[in-house]
Short mmCIF file of all heavy atoms in Angstrom, two decimals:
data_model
loop_
_atom_site.label_atom_id
_atom_site.label_comp_id
_atom_site.label_asym_id
_atom_site.label_seq_id
_atom_site.Cartn_x
_atom_site.Cartn_y
_atom_site.Cartn_z
N VAL V 23 0.56 -4.44 -13.35
CA VAL V 23 0.63 -4.95 -14.73
C VAL V 23 0.23 -6.40 -14.73
O VAL V 23 0.82 -7.22 -13.97
CB VAL V 23 2.06 -4.78 -15.30
CG1 VAL V 23 2.13 -5.34 -16.73
CG2 VAL V 23 2.46 -3.30 -15.27
N GLY V 26 -0.60 -13.05 -18.59
CA GLY V 26 -1.06 -14.39 -18.47
C GLY V 26 -2.57 -14.50 -18.41
O GLY V 26 -3.09 -15.63 -18.30
N TYR V 29 -6.96 -9.67 -20.32
CA TYR V 29 -7.31 -8.59 -19.40
C TYR V 29 -8.79 -8.28 -19.42
O TYR V 29 -9.41 -8.14 -18.37
CB TYR V 29 -6.48 -7.36 -19.76
CG TYR V 29 -6.63 -6.22 -18.78
CD1 TYR V 29 -5.73 -6.08 -17.73
CD2 TYR V 29 -7.65 -5.32 -18.92
CE1 TYR V 29 -5.88 -5.04 -16.81
CE2 TYR V 29 -7.80 -4.27 -18.00
CZ TYR V 29 -6.90 -4.13 -16.96
OH TYR V 29 -7.05 -3.12 -16.10
N GLY V 35 -8.63 -6.27 -9.26
CA GLY V 35 -8.84 -5.42 -8.09
C GLY V 35 -7.67 -5.38 -7.16
O GLY V 35 -6.59 -5.85 -7.45
N GLN V 39 -3.82 -5.63 3.38
CA GLN V 39 -3.72 -6.33 4.65
C GLN V 39 -2.68 -5.66 5.51
O GLN V 39 -1.53 -5.53 5.10
CB GLN V 39 -3.40 -7.78 4.44
CG GLN V 39 -3.48 -8.60 5.72
CD GLN V 39 -3.52 -10.09 5.50
OE1 GLN V 39 -3.13 -10.59 4.41
NE2 GLN V 39 -4.04 -10.86 6.45
N GLY V 42 -1.51 -8.15 11.57
CA GLY V 42 -2.45 -8.53 12.60
C GLY V 42 -3.89 -8.34 12.23
O GLY V 42 -4.79 -8.56 13.07
N GLU V 44 -7.18 -8.82 9.17
CA GLU V 44 -7.64 -9.64 8.08
C GLU V 44 -7.47 -8.86 6.77
O GLU V 44 -7.46 -7.64 6.73
CB GLU V 44 -9.08 -10.05 8.27
CG GLU V 44 -9.29 -11.01 9.40
CD GLU V 44 -10.67 -11.62 9.44
OE1 GLU V 44 -11.51 -11.20 8.61
OE2 GLU V 44 -10.95 -12.48 10.27
N ARG V 45 -7.39 -9.66 5.67
CA ARG V 45 -7.36 -9.02 4.37
C ARG V 45 -8.65 -8.25 4.11
O ARG V 45 -9.75 -8.74 4.40
CB ARG V 45 -7.14 -10.09 3.29
CG ARG V 45 -6.78 -9.54 1.95
CD ARG V 45 -6.45 -10.66 1.00
NE ARG V 45 -7.61 -11.41 0.59
CZ ARG V 45 -7.58 -12.43 -0.25
NH1 ARG V 45 -6.43 -12.85 -0.71
NH2 ARG V 45 -8.69 -13.07 -0.57
N LEU V 79 -3.73 -1.95 -14.30
CA LEU V 79 -4.77 -1.46 -13.41
C LEU V 79 -4.10 -0.47 -12.45
O LEU V 79 -2.97 -0.69 -11.97
CB LEU V 79 -5.36 -2.62 -12.61
CG LEU V 79 -6.46 -2.31 -11.64
CD1 LEU V 79 -7.75 -1.96 -12.38
CD2 LEU V 79 -6.68 -3.52 -10.70
N TYR V 95 -2.33 -5.62 -2.40
CA TYR V 95 -2.17 -6.73 -3.35
C TYR V 95 -3.11 -6.55 -4.54
O TYR V 95 -4.32 -6.31 -4.36
CB TYR V 95 -2.49 -8.04 -2.66
CG TYR V 95 -1.61 -8.38 -1.51
CD1 TYR V 95 -1.93 -8.06 -0.18
CD2 TYR V 95 -0.37 -9.03 -1.74
CE1 TYR V 95 -1.07 -8.39 0.85
CE2 TYR V 95 0.47 -9.36 -0.69
CZ TYR V 95 0.11 -9.05 0.62
OH TYR V 95 0.91 -9.35 1.63
N ASP V 99 -9.00 -12.53 -11.65
CA ASP V 99 -9.81 -13.74 -11.76
C ASP V 99 -10.44 -13.79 -13.14
O ASP V 99 -11.05 -12.82 -13.56
CB ASP V 99 -10.90 -13.72 -10.67
CG ASP V 99 -11.72 -14.97 -10.66
OD1 ASP V 99 -11.19 -16.04 -11.02
OD2 ASP V 99 -12.90 -14.88 -10.32
N VAL V 101 -13.11 -14.41 -15.63
CA VAL V 101 -14.55 -14.59 -15.53
C VAL V 101 -15.21 -14.67 -16.91
O VAL V 101 -16.43 -14.80 -16.99
CB VAL V 101 -15.16 -13.42 -14.73
CG1 VAL V 101 -14.66 -13.42 -13.28
CG2 VAL V 101 -14.87 -12.07 -15.40
N ALA V 103 -15.97 -13.47 -21.11
CA ALA V 103 -16.46 -12.29 -21.82
C ALA V 103 -17.86 -11.95 -21.36
O ALA V 103 -18.63 -12.83 -21.01
CB ALA V 103 -16.42 -12.53 -23.32
N THR V 111 -17.37 -9.81 -5.39
CA THR V 111 -17.85 -11.03 -4.76
C THR V 111 -17.02 -12.27 -5.17
O THR V 111 -17.23 -13.35 -4.65
CB THR V 111 -19.32 -11.31 -5.08
OG1 THR V 111 -19.44 -11.55 -6.51
CG2 THR V 111 -20.17 -10.11 -4.72
N PHE V 114 -10.78 -14.55 -5.79
CA PHE V 114 -9.66 -14.31 -6.68
C PHE V 114 -8.58 -15.36 -6.48
O PHE V 114 -8.08 -15.56 -5.36
CB PHE V 114 -9.09 -12.91 -6.41
CG PHE V 114 -9.97 -11.81 -6.95
CD1 PHE V 114 -11.08 -11.41 -6.25
CD2 PHE V 114 -9.70 -11.22 -8.17
CE1 PHE V 114 -11.91 -10.43 -6.75
CE2 PHE V 114 -10.53 -10.24 -8.69
CZ PHE V 114 -11.61 -9.82 -7.97
#
Side-chain angles (χ1 to χ4, degrees):
V23 179
Y29 187 93
Q39 189 165 20
E44 292 190 356
R45 192 174 72 181
L79 182 71
Y95 298 94
D99 183 31
V101 296
T111 65
F114 286 79

